Amino acid sequence: MSHFNWLLDGSIVGFYLLATMAAGIMVRKYVDKVDDFIVAGREMNVYLGIASLAATEFGIVTCMYTAQAGYTRGFSGAIPGICNAIAMFLVGYTGFCVKKLRDSNVMTIPELFEKRFGKFVRWLAGVVIVLGGLLNMGVFLRVGGQFLVVCCGMNLQYLELAMTVLLIGVAAYTIMGGMLSVLVTDFLQFVVMSVGLLAVTFLVLNKVGWHTLTDTVQTHYGAGGFNPFVNPGLGWAFVLSNLLTNTAAVLTWQTSIARLLAAKDSKTGRKVYTGTAFFFVCRWIIPGIWGIAALALVTPDILRTIGLQFGEQDGSLFAMPYMLSQILPAGMMGVLVAAMLAADMSTDSSYMLTWGSVIYNDIMAPFRKTLWSDKKGLLWNRCIVAVIGMFLLFWGLWYKLEGNLWEYLQTTGTIYLSSMSILLIACCYWKRANNWGANAAIIVGAALPVLAISINMFIKEPVLDAAGIKTGEIGWAAKHIGDSFINIGTYVCVAIAMVAGSLLKPAPKPASLKGTNP
């Protein structure tokens, strides 16, 4: 039975939601141009950028998959956060790719590609970015709704309603204020989120104790719970896959790049990266601790019962919210839910805006024969965000997630991360790169993960326990190839396609010397 009190905790959550909505809508009057809507007029400073990026990259879905990693893998489950932090700090410190990207004054990465590879590459890159981004974000609403249902003790029949309310609230201020609203609300959400996370973590540690956490990991996973390289379910392939994915995300993930391009200059953008780097360790460690605490306190039978309510055999995704619903008192539950909603709203608003900006700026670009007015551009951007919201709602209702959530997000992200990162590096540092290589890289980078996802959806094999009893299903590609090897193979194939395509294209003929003096 959840300790969520609808009068006390509901009032805390309601007050926060109203305050956030009001702040987001109030800045609408400052949005007069498309640049204001997409990149906030390029006036973002370091501290606002750090708060905004940190808030954007921590949502309910983040908390759920990082806690699931702690529950199923112990402390080894935090390795993606360490990889992300290292990549973000090094890229920010060196300016690798991001300095040239920000100095180009583009609004999206595909816009930069047009300057080097032509209009078609820009359009194709935009299509792949939106495809990967929307498939990646498609599970956010359902996972957020599941958290609220389990944590607050809501009736399951209200899951779709909770998802819809979440989406409408976020879409309202995002449609009105664009990036300006996102930055302002992100700052508020960062404060609420930070207070809530620290308070809940203190209570969890006080309830369970650090020694209990380490003993639990040792009992369930042995050395593999502390060292990913000796964990039979992880190993070097998992670590390498995460290094590649997180480095590519730092370079090209549109929500991060949106902050870089909204910064006053490249120096400011790089400081945002280095300043946010450590947060990516925290965003895996803190919910991971909650997940390990759930491993110590929640029995597998309870999780199977909860999982079956959502049509899932494995209830590990719900271990953390159920555990919190049992140990947090009334009042603190309101702080937790407000913090989680703060995190989720900042993530959803930024994601909808950034994918919408790519649709407007890159996919629709060939169809704009003349320069649109800012009024028309703003109207189209707002309509695009609204359509994205509708897609996310229907996808969230339709798609049934199976397996580990982080692996799904990693695979869908690879649809564009693999090709866009290779293209960006080649665009910045390889003079021989051309549109043949770029097109080949984009096609290969999108085809392999989509093929893997399709195979996993339609060709499944049973998962059996030690007694030979079926406990679930797993996709053929995930079982026989492995998500980590699929990701690694995709990056290797994309790099080969980029190099091969560029080298196969005939070099341009030198200018004719006919008619010139010897």
Side-chain angles (χ1 to χ4, degrees), residues 112-129:
L112 175 67
F113 293 159
E114 181 183 2
K115 299 180 179 181
R116 181 70 186 275
F117 304 123
K119 292 183 178 180
F120 180 74
V121 171
R122 175 182 180 178
W123 180 85
L124 187 60
V127 171
V128 170
I129 285 176

Side-chain angles (χ1 to χ4, degrees), residues 54-96:
T56 294
E57 292 304 319
F58 189 94
I60 291 179
V61 67
T62 312
C63 191
M64 291 285 274
Y65 69 67
T66 50
Q68 185 184 37
Y71 183 89
T72 58
R73 295 164 176 168
F75 292 103
S76 291
I79 192 65
I82 297 173
C83 295
N84 202 336
I86 292 173
M88 179 154 281
F89 179 83
L90 290 178
V91 168
Y93 183 77
T94 62
F96 179 67

Side-chain angles (χ1 to χ4, degrees), residues 387-399:
V387 171
I388 289 175
M390 294 175 63
F391 165 81
L392 294 175
L393 182 62
F394 287 109
W395 178 264
L397 291 171
W398 176 76
Y399 183 77

Side-chain angles (χ1 to χ4, degrees), residues 24 68 207 248 308 341 400 407 480:
Q68 185 184 37
K207 173 73 174 180
L308 289 174
L341 287 177
K400 179 183 176 183
E407 266 64 57
H480 294 283

Side-chain angles (χ1 to χ4, degrees), residues 87-106 109 112 247-253 256-257 260-261 263 265-271 273-274 424-425 428-429:
M88 179 154 281
F89 179 83
L90 290 178
V91 168
Y93 183 77
T94 62
F96 179 67
C97 288
V98 296
K99 184 181 187 305
K100 292 187 177 184
L101 177 60
R102 175 60 187 88
D103 289 343
S104 67
N105 284 323
V106 297
I109 290 178
L112 175 67
T247 301
V250 168
L251 292 175
T252 61
W253 192 245
S256 299
I257 294 301
L260 173 75
L261 299 178
D265 49 41
S266 59
K267 184 178 180 181
T268 301
R270 290 168 61 186
K271 287 182 177 179
Y273 271 38
T274 54
L424 181 61
I425 294 171
C428 293
Y429 300 108

Side-chain angles (χ1 to χ4, degrees), residues 206-237:
N206 186 60
K207 173 73 174 180
V208 181
W210 183 256
H211 289 297
T212 301
L213 296 179
T214 55
D215 290 345
T216 299
V217 172
Q218 180 65 41
T219 300
H220 285 80
Y221 305 117
F226 302 90
N227 183 353
F229 291 100
V230 300
N231 188 311
L234 303 179
W236 68 267

